[in-house]
Amino acid sequence: MRLLLPSLTALLLVSAAQAQDLTAEVAHSWTSGGEAAAVKVISDAFTARGGKWVDWSVAGFESANAAYISRLLAGDPPTAKTAVAGPEVTELIAQGLMNDIDTAFHTAVPDGVVPQVVLDAITVDGKVYMAPTGMHAGSWMFYSMPVFEKAGITEAPTSWDEFFAAMDKIKAAGLVPIAWGGQSWQEGIVFHAVVLSTIGAEAFTRLYKDSDLSVIDTPQFAEAVNVFGRMRDYVDAGAAGRNWNDATAMVIRDEAGVQLLSDFIKGEFTTAGEKPGVDYGCALTPGTDSLIFLADAFTFPKTGNADEDKAQALLAETILDPKVQADFSALKGSLPIRTDVDTSGLDACAQKAVELVKQDKIVPDAAMTLSPAINGGFKDAVGAFFADPSMTSEAFIEQYKAAFANG
């Protein structure tokens, strides 16, 4: 009998380990074809490591966030939630609502392989709270190569004069020049890309990182407003309220010429079997030589459940795995957040972004530097201006400037 005790003890320990519940209910809004394929990379890897993924997806970032906040404040949060690394999350951390993943992060990631600007965004009081999935850039122009050929456009425009001349050619060919997603958050991305093109990276950083409002009073900012307003003449009648992926589908189907937005739309091209340089092209927003970037990340609410804490740590380590980062980015259209990941397998558009990151030609998106209230004010102002051609540039600028008071 004594000889059986060690074996029995070992058996009990194995049974206890097997009984450990590593279930993670994961909230996200990544529901389009490319996004869903990218999410599956993480969920499959998490499952392979012994976790159980329970998907809670809500279409539309703002809808998903509202549903999540309701559950969080009700004391019934999911195990993890996607977010933009920055003040949106740090406000919740300050309220004591989030778990840190500092140990899991440093277990998975060697020192020096996450850019410092990203590390700063995911760290609060010396501890890491977020597991970044990748870096997105919001100053891209994607275009249909068949549409450009039909319209007689031989090269991607590099200035706004060239851009609007190209849009006139597409309109004359009987096609939609700009595939427009008429939602204020999309319009905000486009507007900020235009702002970068006219005021430059240094002034852009002063405005959106340091809140230097003198930048708004410059002729260069006024030029951005005028350029953005001109785009109204090149969108179709069905643009209002259109989802971003539906706009992307217009370019994929060669019904529209260009889409100005973030590189996350590239996942839709990939899922549709489109090839860069063959079916579609990519270029920086005209007049721009830098990327406006943000980091997507998973965040981890306090649930009061020890097993969920362990599931959070396992999920964080999974997300930060080099292969997961590479495979995820290839489908999502992002860049891996780790600089030690092999990016040679990424497409030609991503390679352009890799080179710009190496050259430090990146500026942080306002979502990474300013409060959700300020960013909400930006979106409201931009959406109202684009929807109302009778609004003067001066009235818009005053409303836009007033958004900073919300911080």
Side-chain angles (χ1 to χ4, degrees):
M1 189 70 182
R2 290 176 183 172
L3 294 175
L4 293 176
L5 285 175
S7 298
L8 180 59
T9 301
L11 180 62
L12 290 172
L13 288 173
V14 170
S15 298
Q18 290 175 338
Q20 182 172 277
D21 184 2
L22 295 177
T23 298
E25 183 187 17
V26 183
H28 64 89
S29 59
W30 293 340
T31 59
S32 73
E35 290 174 328
V39 169
K40 192 173 185 301
V41 168
I42 298 176
S43 65
D44 285 352
F46 180 66
T47 300
R49 292 174 179 231
K52 180 181 178 182
W53 178 287
V54 176
D55 202 78
W56 182 45
S57 58
V58 178
F61 174 79
E62 292 174 341
S63 297
N65 211 40
Y68 164 69
I69 292 297
S70 294
R71 284 189 56 181
L72 184 65
L73 297 179
D76 179 35
T79 313
K81 162 72 167 62
T82 55
V84 173
E88 175 190 0
V89 181
T90 55
E91 288 185 1
L92 298 175
I93 295 169
Q95 295 174 43
L97 296 172
M98 311 301 291
N99 278 333
D100 73 80
I101 54 155
D102 197 67
T103 299
F105 180 88
H106 290 293
T107 297
V109 181
D111 291 341
V113 303
V114 171
Q116 189 61 46
V117 66
V118 176
L119 193 59
D120 290 343
I122 64 176
T123 303
V124 176
D125 295 333
K127 290 186 175 182
V128 175
Y129 279 81
M130 301 168 236
T133 57
M135 182 185 296
H136 274 301
S139 44
W140 282 104
M141 176 177 65
F142 291 87
Y143 56 93
S144 163
M145 297 191 76
V147 169
F148 269 33
E149 183 178 355
K150 182 176 180 179
I153 304 166
T154 57
E155 294 182 354
T158 59
S159 70
W160 289 115
D161 286 342
E162 291 179 1
F163 176 83
F164 287 115
M167 297 305 101
D168 285 333
K169 290 180 179 180
I170 295 171
K171 183 184 285 189
L175 298 168
V176 177
I178 306 176
W180 194 261
Q183 297 168 338
S184 61
W185 69 268
Q186 297 182 64
E187 292 164 344
I189 290 173
V190 179
F191 178 69
H192 285 163
V194 177
V195 170
L196 175 63
S197 77
T198 62
I199 71 174
E202 186 273 334
F204 189 94
T205 301
R206 282 195 288 116
L207 176 57
Y208 295 112
K209 186 176 181 182
D210 304 325
S211 298
D212 182 354
L213 301 191
S214 68
V215 174
I216 297 179
D217 296 322
T218 62
Q220 291 80 11
F221 191 89
E223 180 187 355
V225 176
N226 291 330
V227 167
F228 183 71
R230 284 184 67 183
M231 292 182 184
R232 298 188 193 100
D233 296 332
Y234 299 94
V235 307
D236 65 300
R242 180 182 288 136
N243 292 324
W244 68 267
N245 51 309
D246 294 326
T248 307
M250 295 171 66
V251 181
I252 292 172
R253 294 192 299 263
D254 304 320
E255 299 169 356
V258 306
Q259 185 177 15
L260 300 159
L261 209 62
S262 175
D263 54 9
F264 60 74
I265 75 172
K266 187 155 55 72
E268 296 302 288
F269 289 98
T270 301
T271 302
E274 299 274 287
K275 304 295 184 185
V278 178
D279 304 299
Y280 72 96
C282 55
L284 292 179
T285 304
T288 305
D289 66 354
S290 300
L291 299 174
I292 302 173
F293 85 95
L294 57 76
D296 279 334
F298 277 78
T299 61
F300 305 93
K302 287 184 177 178
T303 65
N305 183 302
D307 281 344
E308 283 197 77
D309 290 349
K310 293 173 184 176
Q312 289 176 342
L314 180 64
L315 179 57
E317 291 181 18
T318 301
I319 291 163
L320 295 163
D321 178 86
K323 186 177 188 310
V324 172
Q325 290 254 316
D327 292 348
F328 176 89
S329 288
L331 293 168
K332 185 69 163 57
S334 57
L335 296 181
I337 214 72
R338 293 179 57 149
T339 58
D340 60 342
V341 170
D342 181 8
T343 57
S344 61
L346 297 182
D347 61 55
C349 299
Q351 297 300 337
K352 292 181 183 180
V354 168
E355 288 304 310
L356 290 169
V357 172
K358 287 180 180 177
Q359 297 168 31
D360 199 30
K361 289 190 173 183
I362 58 175
V363 293
D365 188 281
M368 291 188 67
T369 58
L370 298 174
S371 72
I374 294 176
N375 279 289
F378 290 161
K379 288 187 288 186
D380 290 345
V382 170
F385 177 67
F386 198 84
D388 183 4
S390 69
M391 181 183 289
T392 65
S393 297
E394 293 77 14
F396 164 66
I397 288 173
E398 287 306 309
Q399 184 178 345
Y400 191 87
K401 187 187 294 186
F404 281 89
N406 293 329

